[in-house]
Amino acid sequence: FTDDLYFLDLSADRHGRIWAATDKGIFVADPQGKIIVRFADKISTASFINNAKDTITLSTDKGLYYFFPGTTPSVSRSQPYPFIRGFLQVNDKQWIGTPFGLYLTEKGLGSTEMHVFSGSNKLSGKPVFDLSFIENCIWVATENGIERYSIQGQKMPAIKCMDELENEVVYSIHSDSLKRIWFSSNKGIGCISASGDRIIWFNQRNNLQSLEFNTNASLKTTDGMIYFGGIKGVNGINPQSFKPEKLTPEVQ
């Protein structure tokens, strides 16, 4: 990869290869880092939204691209479609987060019938950056804080501490094994306590690369580490080592 590429999103397939969506097209690199395929195209926004065994789906400003990640990766098909930032399949329903709102539908992703984005399917008009399924709820990172929905699509009451996020851009959202919520923003990294009574903020005094983070730049690994990417690098967090409540020593 050369330094003139602007990376928009990354994904991996079952062969251990890295898929990189850039402003100059989509690149596929083998586990040793060698680029084996390039699909040339000029795109300005991109998000890998559905990584299945035999299909990798990429949403861009030009539409949807479906790739076959076989021995020789190839393009299965493409079609015009609104840009999607977040996608979740929960039971028989599909949650679709876009720059123009949140939608809930039973219609298949990629349907050419645009009534998927009709008013009857629209849950919120806030621009969406990320979706996450946590504790049987849909957590939505938006341009104006965080919202929660039941799996049936009903908006849930806001956790009191989230009121302070009303005017904050939230890019990515993950949970840890202690039922805390971690998110990235333009104010640093935040952690919502398991009880929901407060947000603990991390800033440059906590060794953050900067206070500003990016969309499509987060990862929760199988061992529980959480990574957030920003304008000057990447920060990794080990939630297991974060214990804000200190035990007081016994008085002798």
Side-chain angles (χ1 to χ4, degrees), residues 174-242:
H174 294 281
S175 64
D176 65 21
S177 60
L178 299 177
K179 298 183 178 181
R180 299 174 300 197
I181 304 298
W182 296 80
F183 62 88
S184 61
S185 70
N186 284 335
K187 189 180 174 180
I189 292 174
C191 176
I192 300 175
S193 64
S195 61
D197 61 341
R198 63 173 172 152
I199 297 176
I200 303 167
W201 287 97
F202 296 80
N203 54 39
Q204 288 173 310
R205 289 179 297 177
N206 305 109
N207 297 324
L208 296 194
Q209 46 81 37
S210 75
L211 291 182
E212 185 176 344
F213 286 81
N214 292 334
T215 184
N216 279 354
S218 71
L219 173 69
K220 180 180 177 181
T221 64
T222 54
D223 62 359
M225 287 288 293
I226 299 176
Y227 295 90
F228 293 107
I231 62 172
K232 293 184 179 180
V234 178
N235 284 110
I237 294 174
N238 181 1
Q240 296 298 320
S241 67
F242 177 56

Side-chain angles (χ1 to χ4, degrees), residues 28-204:
V28 183
D30 67 16
Q32 288 72 45
K34 179 183 177 181
I35 295 175
I36 58 174
V37 177
R38 176 189 177 189
F39 305 100
D41 201 355
K42 290 185 178 181
I43 52 180
S44 58
T45 56
S47 178
F48 288 101
I49 58 174
N50 193 19
N51 192 344
K53 179 180 179 181
D54 294 320
T55 304
I56 290 179
T57 307
L58 177 69
S59 178
T60 76
D61 52 299
K62 293 185 176 180
L64 287 176
Y65 290 80
Y66 300 87
F67 298 95
F68 174 63
T71 303
T72 302
S74 60
V75 179
S76 301
R77 62 189 177 96
S78 62
Q79 67 179 86
Y81 208 72
F83 179 56
I84 297 172
R85 284 178 176 158
F87 175 82
L88 285 176
Q89 175 83 42
V90 180
N91 298 332
D92 59 343
K93 298 183 184 296
Q94 295 182 341
W95 296 76
I96 301 175
T98 74
F100 46 90
L102 174 67
Y103 295 82
L104 177 62
T105 178
E106 296 181 2
K107 200 70 176 177
L109 177 67
S111 167
T112 56
E113 301 176 33
M114 287 297 104
H115 70 251
V116 165
F117 298 99
S118 67
S120 61
N121 294 328
K122 193 169 189 175
L123 300 181
S124 170
K126 293 182 179 180
V128 175
F129 285 100
D130 193 20
L131 300 174
S132 191
F133 186 47
I134 302 171
E135 295 293 316
N136 216 35
C137 296
I138 310 298
W139 289 69
V140 186
T142 80
E143 197 173 272
N144 300 102
I146 297 173
E147 294 184 341
R148 296 187 307 152
Y149 291 84
S150 70
I151 56 176
Q152 291 76 33
Q154 285 80 36
K155 187 175 182 179
M156 301 177 66
I159 298 173
K160 184 62 178 176
C161 70
M162 293 195 312
D163 289 346
E164 67 179 273
L165 299 176
E166 184 178 358
N167 297 315
E168 295 293 337
V169 176
V170 178
Y171 292 115
S172 300
I173 188 167
H174 294 281
S175 64
D176 65 21
S177 60
L178 299 177
K179 298 183 178 181
R180 299 174 300 197
I181 304 298
W182 296 80
F183 62 88
S184 61
S185 70
N186 284 335
K187 189 180 174 180
I189 292 174
C191 176
I192 300 175
S193 64
S195 61
D197 61 341
R198 63 173 172 152
I199 297 176
I200 303 167
W201 287 97
F202 296 80
N203 54 39
Q204 288 173 310

